[in-house]
Amino acid sequence: MKMSVTAVLHSEWVKIRSLRPVLGALLGVPLVTTGITLLVCANADGNPAGGVEFDPVFTSFLGVTFGQMAALCFGVLAVSAEFRGAALGSSLAAVPRRGLFYSCKLAVAAVLALAVGLVTALASFLGGQAALGDCGVGLGTPGALRAVLGCGAYLALLAVLAAGCAALLRGPVLSLGVLIPVVCLVSPVLGEMSGAVGRYLPDRAGQEALHTTASDGLGPWPGLAVLA
């Protein structure tokens, strides 16, 4: 019997909701991101930039560097759970159309990641600006709302990227073994050394949306488009 799109989406939601490691990774996104941001902003002195041009909005998203690891873990675990035991065979027996199966799985993961990403971005921004005190700005500051929305989209797109990688590599260890070094090691080093080429690395391009001041990168929306 063929399952409808609604039924497949519901089944994927039940799977994610019932797996504690997946939910734990998802909840780790706001906890880690907001926690690190509050620590950084609370310990900033009267001149957080140290003489360099200071972007208070971007300062509220410094925790994203660590929170994005939880987003990658969520995306990987949301898919790789199917490869344990005979779960994948049972799922494909119920939904023989692989395109429908993977599309619904990615759609549910993307919606959850976007919702949590937006909450994370707003909490990180408000908490960070409050911790900055006199150096903080409001949500009405030009570019601030766009940065909050961009942060939510960035975390969601990273989760989808991780989910797609897990679908191709068929395992959490190999998937995270590829993604985490690329995001944590290769991208920062190669981005600084490769000049214009570094702009097109997924995480560096996507993080353009977190800035309100002009940079040498692609810009907010083109950067998110490259990540997408």
Side-chain angles (χ1 to χ4, degrees), residues 120-144:
T120 299
L122 183 60
S124 186
F125 175 80
L126 295 178
Q129 298 310 313
L132 285 174
D134 294 337
C135 296
V137 297
L139 198 58
T141 301

Side-chain angles (χ1 to χ4, degrees), residues 137-163:
V137 297
L139 198 58
T141 301
L145 181 58
R146 186 261 300 153
V148 169
L149 297 176
C151 180
Y154 171 74
L155 290 171
L157 288 172
L158 273 184
V160 173
L161 174 64

Side-chain angles (χ1 to χ4, degrees), residues 2-207:
K2 294 183 178 180
M3 298 184 67
S4 65
V5 174
T6 303
V8 178
L9 288 172
H10 181 263
S11 68
E12 294 303 325
W13 157 243
V14 171
K15 290 178 187 177
I16 291 179
R17 185 183 62 186
S18 60
L19 294 173
R20 291 183 178 179
V22 180
L23 291 180
L26 186 61
L27 292 176
V29 176
L31 292 177
V32 174
T33 302
T34 306
I36 296 296
T37 294
L38 291 176
L39 287 175
V40 172
C41 293
N43 287 281
D45 54 20
N47 183 20
V52 182
E53 184 179 359
F54 175 52
D55 184 353
V57 174
F58 178 69
T59 304
S60 281
F61 300 125
L62 291 178
V64 170
T65 303
F66 302 91
Q68 66 186 4
M69 297 299 101
L72 291 175
C73 289
F74 166 71
V76 167
L77 292 175
V79 173
S80 63
E82 292 284 353
F83 303 116
R84 296 179 59 184
L88 182 61
S90 300
S91 296
L92 291 177
V95 188
R97 295 166 55 191
R98 289 175 181 260
L100 175 62
F101 171 68
Y102 280 111
S103 296
C104 290
K105 182 177 290 293
L106 290 178
V108 172
V111 169
L112 288 174
L114 180 59
V116 172
L118 290 173
V119 172
T120 299
L122 183 60
S124 186
F125 175 80
L126 295 178
Q129 298 310 313
L132 285 174
D134 294 337
C135 296
V137 297
L139 198 58
T141 301
L145 181 58
R146 186 261 300 153
V148 169
L149 297 176
C151 180
Y154 171 74
L155 290 171
L157 288 172
L158 273 184
V160 173
L161 174 64
C165 184
L168 290 174
L169 300 180
R170 294 177 173 268
V173 176
L174 183 57
S175 300
L176 291 175
V178 170
L179 290 167
I180 291 182
V182 167
V183 174
C184 293
L185 300 176
V186 177
S187 181
V189 175
L190 184 61
E192 294 298 329
M193 298 176 58
S194 58
V197 177
R199 303 175 184 176
Y200 297 94
L201 296 172
D203 60 308
R204 291 180 67 88
Q207 287 189 13

